[in-house]
Each structure stands twice: as structure tokens, then as C-alpha cells.
Amino acid sequence: MAQSENNQASTISSGALELINENLGRDILIVVSADQLNIFGQTFRPIFVGKLIQADEGHITLWPVQIKMSNAPNFEFPTPLMFPVEAVTAITSFDRDIKFPIS
């Protein structure tokens, strides 16, 4: 049974990686599987917008990347951010200049 679970997990990751590779070099919006995150003492929802610059097995990298926080909706993180593929719950092409409420 463990063998079957491992095969299923690697198939899901391969399919997700293929979808992600289609968006390489484009601005995307991703949501990760967390109710909320905390950085610099600010709590925020796990919504990120940025250019997908790298997609390897197991992770993706966005740079530059905006963290969508309610008190600073266009905060640009100072370094590239890497996300584990299995933590990404939603991904879509997205224009980083679009403003939307985070409340």
C-alpha cells in the first residue's frame, strides 16, 4: 500500500509541475495551503503574486513577488520566495498591477 501511495503522490507532483512549467516566465497568483501566515510581525492570508522564475521538482520560485496583505496590499518581498509544490492550492496567470481587496 505504501508503494501505491508513493506512486500517486509522485504522479500528482509531476502533473502539478507540468502545469507550473507552462507558466514559467509569466506573472502568476498563487495561494498556498495555510489559513494565515506571519512575517515581520504581520499576519496575512497566503496569497502571492509574482513572476514564476524557476520550477524544479518539489518547489517553485517567484521573483519579484508581492505579498497580498490587507495593510500593505502591494508589499514586495526583498528576495525571491520558494514554495513547495505540494503547498500550492491554486495557481493562475495574473497581472500584478491589478488591485483587489484583501479583507
Side-chain angles (χ1 to χ4, degrees), residues 37-95:
L37 299 170
N38 187 308
I39 191 165
F40 304 131
Q42 298 294 315
T43 301
F44 60 96
R45 294 181 186 188
I47 302 170
F48 304 88
V49 175
K51 183 179 277 190
L52 179 60
I53 62 167
Q54 186 175 8
D56 293 324
E57 281 197 43
H59 75 276
I60 62 173
T61 305
L62 299 181
W63 174 251
V65 60
Q66 293 175 345
I67 299 174
K68 297 298 185 179
M69 293 188 256
S70 57
N71 61 340
N74 296 311
F75 173 75
E76 193 163 295
F77 200 74
T79 64
L81 288 178
M82 296 172 67
F83 302 90
V85 172
E86 65 271 4
V88 176
T89 59
I91 181 172
T92 188
S93 296
F94 195 81
D95 181 353

